[in-house]
Amino acid sequence: MDISSDAMDGIERLATDGRKGLLGLCAAESGYTLRRPLLSSFETAPIAVNCEVKKMHENIRPIPAIEERKDSIQTKGRTRQELKCDTDSVAGCVSQRACVYCGARVVLNPITDAIHLVHGPIGCASYTWDIRGSLTSGADLFRFSFSTDLEELDVIFGGEKKLARAIDDLTAKYHPKLIFVYSTCIVGVIGDDLEAVCRAAAEKHGIQVIPVQSSGFAGNKSAGYRAACDALLNLIKPEDNQQIEKDKTINYLGDFNLAGELWIIRNYLKRIGIELNVAFTGDSSYETLKTATKASFNIVQCAGSMIYLANKMKELYNIPYLNVSFLGLEDTSESLRRIAKTFNDLEIMRRTEELIKMETVSIIGEIQYYRQRLQGKKAAVYVGGGYKAISLIKQFRELGIEVVMIGTQTGSKEEYATINNLVNDGTVIMDDTNPSELERFILEKEADLLVGGVKERPLAYKMGIAFIDHNHDRRHPLSGYAGAVNFAREVYSTVCSPVWKYRKRGDKNEKAEQKFPQCERKSL
Amino acid sequence: MKKQSRSFRNVSENPCNMCMPLGGIIAFKGIQGSMTLLHGSQGCATYMRRTISEHYSEPIDVASSSLNEKGTVFGGEANLKKGLENVCLLYQPRIIGVLTTCLAETIGEDIQRITADYKLEKQRPELPIINVPTPGYGGSHSEGYWHTVKKITAGLAKETPKHSKLNLIIPHISAADIRELKRLLRLMTIEFTLLPDYSDTLDAPYAETYQKIPSGGTSIEDIATMPGAPATIELGITVEEGVSPGKYLENEFGVPLYRLPLPVGIENTNLFFHTLKEITGKEIPEEIQRERGRLLDGMFDSHKHNFQGKAVIFGEPEQVFSATKLCLENGVTPKIMATGSRTRKIDQLLAEELKKFEHVDQETVILSDTDFSIIMEKCRQMGVNLAIGHSEGKILTEREGISLVRYGFPVHDRVGGQRLLSVGYQGTLIFLDRITNTLLENKYKNYRARMFEKYYPLPSPAECELKAR
Ligand code: SF4
Ligand code: SF4
């Protein structure tokens, strides 16, 4: 293989700089000799930071203004007790979280040929119309917004009849095989019997009409994930307990095909000789989901939303699962290897190594280029799920960036424990945070960039720091090797943009001002 | 001309509007030192923050009382009070707006009483809390907006000695439009109170230190003295009287009310300045006269291009009305005028305007309380080649190939929605240029290929025969 010397240089540097990860392994296994031995664990190796500019604020102990939020924030190395998570949001704290309905919609929305009918007032549907970047290779009915648009009278007299008529109209117009009916808050209160209406409609039209119990107030976003998983279980259930014959394919849980991410991973799997059966739920359809139970095992990426489904499928259909993550070089290669291993097939394993080598080599030069310019920067992270957060810590490490603040909307206890293990002492960890806390810790920790979604973006820019979009609205893939380069490029494009040079000079910013023009190549 | 409303339908497909509290949040953003709290479940607040953030590129901090199951069953009083207290701790607002959502309204929360109780309990008698019932199912965001502006006015206005500051009440327009209105009034040396002024809060300049509640907005003191104004100009002719803040000031305090359309288009802008002149007796300065001249010059320059336009115009009623006028004046044919709002007033107003222009002899249709599935269907039937409205209209581009001139709210697939200038003579011309250039771009995109296909090949005998007949 023809490897440019620059790229090779990159492999070596990455491999020897203390965060070996997969690059190191890849280089080592592919027979390139390294001048220095690899370190075996990245946890123990501190990140090189230009200490003169960036002294940690050791003496600031985060004291949240709101007593109730206290246990949901901790600093690694200083707080012993477990982080409080998976609770209801605190009133008045401007939580960044959405609702049960939002969680359910995120998971089910990518099912391409389904009608997603929101039973409720218009707003809930308006705000979620085609806001996500999921792609389809077939039908695109899922991009339409359907709502029963409940009005005052419906609220008083109940919305069941209107819902039934809505389903009639939609069936006549679009001939769908599958309709999801989402309940919203007021439906939960006015007491419409969703189950009954859906059952009757299904019978009448001979299609599947699945109620999604997603009344917004009944828990948080995680409850919505669960409601969606229940709806999916309902959908994949084989008819009349018929025995499904297993084949050698696998299902992929927790990829929503944002900007084609699913296709990227599916093709990797194909290249190493593994056939993907169906993904939950990126680019899936009624027909493909119906075949889900024949797969020999499941890989689970977005565990926060899908672990419940994975466990159920194991229990009901005897399909074991494996947690994976395709975010970042390290996780991608590692996940591919673990998937290959479960097949216990030498040919598959050989092809996997070949693919890892080839893909890594093809991007390492570019990643190295960015790394040289990003080394020593500090990141603050606030994302939806735990798996994303965990992967981001590693991904930033691949770029020489330390995560100094990290939080999620719906992370679980286990995920927070992993996060705690991965980050350096002094890193602030928080659950279900709000703009005030974000602002405070970004300042305290002197973060150079924030990772978040649409609501967090303007906060970062108002504070004059870089920002990375990491949400379901994005239009560029972050999965796999292609995604790893995209990510690095995005970080570089925002952190090293010339615009930050023009932030006004003032007491506080002077230091920061000098820092930015230094996005230049640094010797490692 | 036909009128049509959706009310008989069972399902809304691809909505053209949002819900009431969103409009309420925008209105409160225009009040100095204010924070808003949505009484209801967490999701509504988050969705609205997200939607507003996308358009304005500003952090939108809106609290929620985060009602959970318990609060929903046993009442949300405790949640609301805790929410208010936490907002006070975190933001130290000068004024709080409490808006309800569908959920709070459905379970019958008495926010008036709860917030009054809260003030007593926490000994904050001087903290103004404005309560606005805005159930999402009660109307669109533009109804929520007007309803809230009226409540704010009613909550803060006090009997005041007469003074010379004119009241100017605006619909939901861009931050740039607000700044332009202020510039024009200053040019005319007119003192004024503009309500609600979110031109800074929703389009804040970068500052070294971040402010949780951005500075700017109409001050509580200014709103308090609105009853002493010589007159109110309310840029909202489509607004129902029941929710009109200007009407309230007229009824309660006898402030003369002038209800005008948005000054978009030459006629509406003329009307705006003539009214200002009539009220204040001040002359229209040379600078503004020249801007008017420049607009006319531009209209003449572009008129032939504009005559090719067959437009669908959609969005909030006030915007639809003014954009329709602009089209009419310039020879663009408004084919479809559509709003997701339920206001009935706009139908009649539009119908009258359409009658005045001769070039609109073809079929036109006015849709209220409508959605994009209906709009799209009509576009297909009526040969529309231009869309004017907010970003949700991108579906028309994607599916029907109709180019969209972005105007109104939300603009989430382009930057600068908050900076779109469309009012006054100058703004009108910029807006008109956007329309003309879109038509031109379409024309030149495949002009050579089209002409070649049409005229290069020798027509077949059959075609010739067809023509001869
Ligand atoms: S329609 Fe009602 S429930 Fe839905 S987002 Fe608006 S206020 Fe909330
Ligand atoms: S009403 Fe409920 S379901 Fe709808 S957006 Fe609000 S919280 Fe979510």
Side-chain angles (χ1 to χ4, degrees):
Chain A
M1 184 179 304
D2 184 30
I3 307 167
S4 73
S5 69
D6 204 24
M8 202 43 233
D9 209 24
I11 294 187
E12 267 181 39
R13 283 212 184 114
L14 272 180
T16 53
D17 81 340
R19 257 142 285 116
K20 75 158 184 126
L22 240 87
L23 293 173
L25 273 182
C26 165
E29 283 170 13
S30 41
Y32 305 116
T33 43
L34 300 169
R35 281 182 224 114
R36 274 170 287 166
L38 299 169
L39 286 180
S40 62
S41 152
F42 54 72
E43 279 94 11
T44 52
I47 294 200
V49 185
N50 356 351
C51 295
E52 56 318 333
V53 198
K54 306 186 159 202
K55 254 235 172 104
M56 290 265 195
H57 284 218
E58 285 298 344
N59 40 7
I60 302 178
R61 165 78 180 87
I63 308 156
I66 306 295
E67 197 53 34
E68 250 176 285
R69 292 274 317 133
K70 222 168 150 183
D71 294 339
S72 299
I73 305 171
Q74 60 175 223
T75 307
K76 160 109 188 240
R78 278 190 229 128
T79 331
R80 287 278 160 263
Q81 94 270 25
E82 248 181 15
L83 191 76
K84 197 167 121 198
C85 59
D86 200 18
T87 54
D88 287 343
S89 299
V90 179
C93 280
V94 195
S95 160
Q96 308 288 91
R97 265 188 199 156
C99 55
V100 186
Y101 159 68
C102 169
R105 189 75 198 250
V106 169
V107 171
L108 297 176
N109 195 61
I111 302 175
T112 55
D113 58 353
I115 282 202
H116 299 269
L117 172 60
V118 184
H119 186 36
I122 193 71
C124 315
S126 285
Y127 302 127
T128 44
W129 178 23
D130 199 20
I131 61 173
R132 312 202 176 273
S134 298
L135 300 187
T136 169
S137 58
D140 68 351
L141 201 49
F142 73 113
R143 291 186 55 210
F144 275 30
S145 163
F146 300 105
S147 159
T148 48
D149 191 4
L150 293 184
E151 293 175 8
E152 203 138 5
L153 282 183
D154 305 313
V155 174
I156 298 167
F157 297 111
E160 290 179 12
K161 291 216 179 77
K162 195 169 187 188
L163 173 60
R165 287 198 304 265
I167 297 174
D168 291 349
D169 287 3
L170 289 170
T171 321
K173 184 163 172 192
Y174 295 100
H175 315 290
K177 290 187 184 126
L178 172 63
I179 300 181
F180 289 109
V181 179
Y182 300 79
S183 74
T184 57
C185 285
I186 59 168
V187 171
V189 175
I190 61 180
D192 281 2
D193 189 346
L194 222 59
E195 298 270 351
V197 178
C198 291
R199 209 178 312 117
E203 236 160 72
K204 181 169 171 192
H205 301 291
I207 58 171
Q208 222 163 338
V209 184
I210 301 180
V212 186
Q213 300 296 354
S214 53
S215 273
F217 59 81
N220 56 33
K221 203 168 160 187
S222 312
Y225 293 151
R226 210 183 146 118
C229 288
D230 280 329
L232 287 167
L233 282 167
N234 190 337
L235 176 67
I236 63 173
K237 188 165 63 201
E239 269 154 51
D240 315 319
N241 292 326
Q242 118 202 39
Q243 244 357 79
I244 298 279
E245 213 171 300
K246 295 262 180 250
D247 61 15
K248 288 199 84 179
T249 61
I250 68 174
N251 296 323
Y252 179 14
L253 277 54
D255 187 311
F256 306 106
N257 201 25
L258 305 172
E261 287 179 341
L262 166 71
W263 299 334
I264 294 175
I265 304 306
R266 184 200 56 189
N267 288 340
Y268 291 159
L269 292 174
K270 217 179 207 138
R271 279 164 60 192
I272 62 177
I274 296 172
E275 200 59 42
L276 189 70
N277 181 37
V278 63
F280 285 78
T281 51
D283 198 19
S284 65
S285 65
Y286 176 79
E287 298 292 348
T288 55
L289 284 167
K290 280 284 184 197
T291 68
T293 50
K294 74 173 182 155
S296 63
F297 79 97
N298 286 336
I299 54 174
V300 185
Q301 173 158 258
C302 179
S305 64
M306 286 290 170
I307 205 71
Y308 171 71
L309 181 66
N311 278 319
K312 279 278 177 198
M313 286 174 82
K314 188 169 153 196
E315 181 189 317
L316 297 171
Y317 308 111
N318 202 17
I319 305 177
Y321 69 86
L322 188 70
N323 280 313
V324 297
S325 162
F326 291 105
L327 293 181
L329 271 177
E330 188 183 315
D331 276 3
T332 301
S333 301
E334 155 86 8
S335 295
L336 287 173
R337 284 206 176 93
R338 285 173 48 230
I339 295 167
K341 224 161 123 195
T342 51
F343 277 82
N344 205 9
D345 176 332
L346 281 178
E347 177 58 14
I348 289 180
M349 286 196 239
R350 189 191 61 77
R351 286 206 214 168
T352 306
E353 290 310 322
E354 201 176 87
L355 179 136
I356 292 174
K357 193 168 86 191
M358 196 155 125
E359 292 290 335
T360 307
V361 162
S362 75
I363 62 167
I364 194 64
E366 194 174 343
I367 293 213
Q368 184 57 22
Y369 175 92
Y370 300 129
R371 184 189 163 88
Q372 281 165 349
R373 283 148 184 90
L374 293 168
Q375 178 85 9
K377 300 287 178 216
K378 292 175 177 182
V381 174
Y382 188 65
V383 289
Y387 101 91
K388 239 194 250 177
I390 293 166
S391 280
L392 276 167
I393 299 172
K394 299 188 217 164
Q395 250 183 305
F396 275 124
R397 248 171 219 172
E398 288 171 4
L399 295 173
I401 294 175
E402 183 198 359
V403 170
V404 292
M405 185 218 91
I406 187 157
T408 77
Q409 288 178 24
T410 58
S412 65
K413 278 209 159 53
E414 300 73 40
E415 286 168 334
Y416 278 116
T418 312
I419 290 173
N420 200 60
N421 275 336
L422 280 175
V423 296
N424 290 342
D425 273 3
T427 296
V428 174
I429 307 171
M430 49 211 201
D431 181 62
D432 184 23
T433 191
N434 55 50
S436 306
E437 289 165 9
L438 284 173
E439 179 207 346
R440 170 173 177 183
F441 293 118
I442 285 170
L443 285 177
E444 255 178 46
K445 293 281 152 194
E446 298 185 316
D448 300 295
L449 78 148
L450 174 68
V451 183
V454 178
K455 292 182 303 298
E456 291 84 27
R457 188 197 305 143
L459 177 68
Y461 292 163
K462 270 275 142 31
M463 295 181 70
I465 67 166
F467 183 79
I468 301 285
D469 278 288
H470 210 311
N471 54 39
H472 285 222
D473 318 12
R474 67 194 146 78
R475 306 291 192 254
H476 58 281
L478 292 177
S479 273
Y481 301 96
V485 187
N486 279 345
F487 180 75
R489 195 179 295 141
E490 192 185 349
V491 176
Y492 172 69
S493 70
T494 178
V495 172
C496 297
S497 165
V499 297
W500 306 124
K501 276 192 235 168
Y502 305 101
R503 301 186 308 177
K504 263 200 251 146
R505 205 162 269 272
D507 284 359
K508 226 178 185 167
N509 274 6
E510 217 158 312
K511 210 163 52 178
E513 277 254 341
Q514 296 159 357
K515 191 162 73 181
F516 276 97
Q518 293 175 4
C519 272
E520 289 136 20
R521 190 181 171 124
K522 244 174 258 150
S523 58
L524 296 173
Chain B
M1 190 211 48
K2 281 190 288 186
K3 288 181 203 171
Q4 191 180 318
S5 115
R6 184 200 44 175
S7 310
F8 60 90
R9 288 170 34 111
N10 301 314
V11 55
S12 151
E13 293 181 40
N14 303 335
C16 189
N17 58 293
M18 283 154 281
C19 63
M20 272 184 105
L22 184 134
I25 294 170
I26 306 272
F28 273 112
K29 270 285 172 188
I31 311 301
Q32 197 179 62
S34 73
M35 241 326 256
T36 315
L37 187 146
L38 283 199
H39 187 31
S41 42
Q42 177 62 45
C44 312
T46 303
Y47 278 137
M48 289 174 218
R49 289 174 59 203
R50 181 188 176 286
T51 307
I52 301 171
S53 258
E54 263 190 330
H55 175 94
Y56 284 101
S57 295
E58 292 286 326
I60 307 293
D61 289 7
V62 175
S64 163
S65 57
S66 311
L67 278 191
N68 51 17
E69 219 147 8
K70 218 170 92 203
T72 305
V73 179
F74 301 109
E77 179 162 351
N79 276 65
L80 178 50
K81 285 181 178 168
K82 185 163 44 155
L84 287 168
E85 189 56 17
N86 283 340
V87 164
C88 286
L89 281 173
L90 285 173
Y91 290 86
Q92 288 107 32
R94 280 199 67 202
I95 176 170
I96 301 180
V98 176
L99 303 166
T100 55
T101 64
C102 296
L103 182 63
E105 289 294 326
T106 309
I107 61 175
E109 292 282 286
D110 185 354
I111 49 170
Q112 197 73 41
R113 182 192 60 75
I114 300 173
T115 54
D117 271 7
Y118 165 79
K119 290 213 284 192
L120 271 179
E121 280 165 27
K122 294 286 167 180
Q123 287 162 9
R124 299 184 197 274
E126 72 301 330
L127 176 75
I129 299 181
I130 310 279
N131 302 296
V132 194
T134 46
Y137 53 69
S140 75
H141 57 300
S142 82
E143 280 125 45
Y145 174 90
W146 284 108
H147 193 53
T148 307
V149 178
K150 184 190 165 182
K151 283 278 183 182
I152 294 170
T153 314
L156 298 175
K158 295 202 176 71
E159 195 68 64
T160 318
K162 286 268 170 256
H163 56 75
S164 60
K165 274 164 94 174
L166 185 74
N167 298 330
L168 180 61
I169 299 175
I170 56 159
H172 182 198
I173 51 180
S174 79
D177 281 343
I178 299 181
R179 285 194 287 270
E180 177 71 357
L181 288 175
K182 295 205 284 193
R183 181 186 73 93
L184 294 170
L185 287 169
R186 276 190 217 112
L187 276 176
M188 288 203 51
T189 65
I190 295 172
E191 284 185 290
F192 59 90
T193 302
L194 185 144
L195 180 74
D197 183 359
Y198 46 83
S199 62
D200 280 324
T201 54
L202 285 180
D203 192 13
Y206 173 73
E208 288 166 50
T209 35
Y210 173 70
Q211 287 176 300
K212 274 199 186 67
I213 297 183
S215 57
T218 319
S219 73
I220 297 172
E221 292 73 21
D222 279 349
I223 302 172
T225 60
M226 284 174 91
T232 302
I233 293 185
E234 185 172 275
L235 302 176
I237 46 160
T238 62
V239 181
E240 308 282 342
E241 292 206 339
V243 293
S244 153
K247 197 81 207 157
Y248 172 84
L249 289 170
E250 188 180 56
N251 289 346
E252 297 294 312
F253 303 99
V255 188
L257 172 64
Y258 298 78
R259 304 184 81 191
L260 306 178
L262 266 175
V264 172
I266 185 121
E267 283 189 22
N268 288 349
T269 312
N270 285 345
L271 183 62
F272 179 67
F273 283 110
H274 288 150
T275 312
L276 286 174
K277 192 176 154 188
E278 188 186 312
I279 297 169
T280 63
K282 295 196 173 172
E283 284 305 319
I284 299 162
E286 176 66 15
E287 196 171 337
I288 294 178
Q289 305 273 18
R290 292 183 67 81
E291 285 172 15
R292 179 170 183 275
R294 220 166 274 129
L295 168 59
L296 283 169
D297 199 52
M299 286 168 69
F300 300 164
D301 290 344
S302 311
H303 74 279
K304 274 195 277 178
H305 305 303
N306 290 331
F307 209 82
Q308 307 308 316
K310 293 179 181 50
V312 52
I313 304 157
F314 55 86
E316 297 177 53
E318 221 43 55
Q319 268 83 353
V320 170
F321 180 79
S322 55
T324 304
K325 270 285 340 233
L326 176 67
C327 286
L328 286 168
E329 290 164 356
N330 287 284
V332 177
T333 309
K335 290 293 232 176
I336 305 164
M337 289 139 280
T339 170
S341 288
R342 288 172 206 163
T343 162
R344 297 272 165 267
K345 270 187 108 173
I346 189 169
D347 298 12
Q348 209 197 330
L349 286 166
L350 284 172
E352 276 165 29
E353 292 301 328
L354 291 170
K355 268 187 248 151
K356 292 186 207 157
F357 290 86
E358 205 205 331
H359 71 276
V360 194
D361 51 355
Q362 302 117 317
E363 203 191 0
T364 58
V365 55
I366 299 171
L367 308 166
S368 62
D369 193 10
T370 194
D371 64 32
F372 275 104
S373 97
I374 299 176
I375 295 175
M376 203 148 74
E377 215 176 284
K378 291 277 174 219
C379 284
R380 235 174 266 150
Q381 292 164 6
M382 302 179 76
V384 162
N385 64 4
L386 175 74
I388 302 172
H390 52 73
S391 279
E392 301 301 0
K394 70 185 190 325
I395 192 174
L396 301 173
T397 314
E398 207 185 298
R399 314 244 161 185
E400 302 297 322
I402 303 167
S403 303
L404 174 64
V405 176
R406 283 164 183 77
Y407 176 53
F409 174 93
V411 173
H412 51 59
D413 60 343
R414 294 286 188 278
V415 297
Q418 72 277 47
R419 294 185 289 270
L420 282 178
L421 183 61
S422 323
V423 302
Y425 296 119
Q426 206 166 264
T428 296
L429 185 51
I430 294 175
F431 188 9
L432 183 62
D433 284 347
R434 294 202 297 266
I435 294 174
T436 314
N437 285 333
T438 306
L439 288 167
L440 283 174
E441 197 182 322
N442 281 342
K443 179 170 175 183
Y444 290 123
K445 220 185 306 184
N446 44 24
Y447 149 78
R448 281 165 201 280
R450 249 190 2 224
M451 294 305 124
F452 179 81
E453 266 164 40
K454 200 166 167 190
Y455 298 119
Y456 187 78
L458 186 69
S460 67
E463 275 173 288
C464 291
E465 209 172 295
L466 210 73
K467 258 187 210 157
R469 252 190 261 152

